[in-house]
Amino acid sequence: MLRIHFTGVDLARVRMAGRPDALWETILSFHRLRDRRDVRLFGEWRTESRIRLNSETRTLGMLIPSRGYFPDFLTPVEGRYGWDVGLDALRGIRPERMRRELELLGGGSGAGSGAGSGAGVALPPRLREFMDDSAKHLPRLLGELRAYHRAAVEPYWTHIQAQIEAERAARGRALLDGGADELLASLPPMLRWRAPVLECDYPVDRDVRLRGRGLLLQPSFFCRRTAVTLHDPQLPPVLVYPAAAQLASAPAGGEAARPAVEEQRVRTLGKLVGHTRSVVLRAIGDGATTSELARRAGVSLASASQHACVMREAGLVTTLRHGNAVLHTVTPLGAALLKGGAVAS
């Protein structure tokens, strides 16, 4: 069990990440690649990623075990600002910090960065070699990480962003409805808000005391079944938790083909959507329940639901359940369609 202890100041400092974190998504996706579960969600992604992934991943495999602890330095806070910024931060990690965290890889158990400790356990030879001369081996790690990201994460980034935006909209609605208390109570079922403690199913027993620093909630597409936090209690507190999600296939030809594919889809969809669905799509705004959508667009509840369903199947809208209602948000493709003014009137 993971228990995160809040003070009144911490509640005032709870915040949602503004976007998916590129390094957290990459590291956690490496877990999903080797996991045989969640075939419906990740089966096609695994097949497509393995076909594209023809580079060495031995160093990644050494630093990111199938389960248990992985070093905090792999997910620097700068990763929330984008892939390049996060990679630069990883490149600048101090050798003494890297050595200290690598020593924890010798054993222990648990899930993610925040669990397990292998201190005092003999390290595997390759890991010891990496730790003794990190300056020599770090470029190889960065190269593997970059190649893996391009193969397994980058082609799906637009879809990952859409799911995180939908998650943010749902949590934002909870925050507006009832403040931080309602936000924490609205998180996925493996997270339970029992004020002033947020409990989480976890493979090890751990208490995290925020002590006025607040907490960053980081929804993640590739995080599944349990939330993840950092091992080092001195680092800025972050809780990475599973966002409700679905993944679309990458276009043929990989990410390089995506702009042309997306542009063509926008043009085609613009001819097909028509005036009413254009109005409905615009009415969604930053997020709307079906009832709100019907009221904003001036259509019946049944009609709003039907239009939302069609646009969801076309990839223009993402829908998440929010309490007893459902919350619709516009995907990047839907936003591009609106921004391009391609919708027929």
Side-chain angles (χ1 to χ4, degrees), residues 66-314:
S66 297
R67 62 186 301 273
Y69 172 85
F70 58 84
D72 288 339
F73 70 73
L74 290 173
T75 54
V77 65
E78 292 84 356
R80 74 187 68 163
Y81 302 117
W83 172 251
D84 291 332
V85 178
L87 214 60
D88 283 343
L90 179 52
R91 188 179 291 109
I93 293 294
R94 298 189 308 276
E96 58 270 25
R97 176 185 168 183
M98 188 176 297
R99 182 182 182 88
R100 183 173 66 251
E101 294 182 7
L102 288 174
E103 286 178 344
L104 297 175
L105 273 177
S109 62
S113 182
S117 173
V121 180
L123 296 176
R126 290 189 68 247
L127 184 57
R128 172 62 65 182
E129 182 183 343
F130 187 102
M131 188 173 68
D132 289 342
D133 194 355
S134 58
K136 173 184 176 182
H137 297 284
L138 183 58
R140 174 179 295 177
L141 168 63
L142 294 173
E144 288 187 14
L145 199 57
R146 188 180 295 107
Y148 173 77
H149 176 82
R150 287 174 179 168
V153 178
E154 193 175 80
Y156 307 91
W157 194 247
T158 298
H159 303 287
I160 292 169
Q161 285 179 308
Q163 303 305 321
I164 300 308
E165 280 300 316
E167 177 69 22
R168 275 174 49 81
R171 302 308 150 221
R173 181 62 62 92
L175 181 64
L176 289 173
D177 288 347
D181 194 72
E182 181 66 24
L183 167 62
L184 293 172
S186 76
L187 292 172
M190 81 282 296
L191 294 160
R192 296 172 295 279
W193 175 235
R194 294 170 178 165
V197 179
L198 181 64
E199 296 180 349
C200 176
D201 297 334
Y202 216 60
V204 296
D205 198 49
R206 185 179 176 207
D207 288 274
V208 174
R209 301 186 184 278
L210 299 177
R211 297 190 174 93
R213 294 174 296 169
L215 179 69
L216 176 68
L217 296 171
Q218 177 68 66
S220 166
F221 178 81
F222 286 106
C223 182
R224 296 289 105 184
R225 284 178 294 281
T226 186
V228 185
T229 190
L230 297 170
H231 181 273
D232 188 346
Q234 301 306 314
L235 292 172
V238 58
L239 185 68
V240 182
Y241 72 91
Q246 59 184 16
L247 188 64
S249 301
E255 182 65 15
R258 184 174 294 282
V261 172
E262 296 289 270
E263 183 179 351
Q264 179 59 42
R265 287 186 70 185
V266 167
R267 287 199 299 267
T268 302
L269 287 167
K271 298 175 182 178
L272 294 175
V273 168
H275 176 70
T276 301
R277 286 191 181 137
S278 171
V279 171
V280 171
L281 188 60
R282 291 183 186 280
I284 291 174
D286 293 330
T289 64
T290 305
S291 297
E292 291 168 339
L293 186 56
R295 185 172 62 254
R296 293 176 190 175
V299 298
S300 69
L301 190 64
S303 180
S305 178
Q306 181 183 22
H307 287 310
C309 179
V310 171
M311 289 190 290
R312 183 170 60 251
E313 292 174 353

Side-chain angles (χ1 to χ4, degrees), residues 41-52:
L41 183 58
F42 294 115
E44 190 172 353
W45 166 79
R46 289 188 185 108
T47 299
E48 294 173 350
S49 297
R50 285 168 178 156
I51 290 173
R52 285 189 298 271

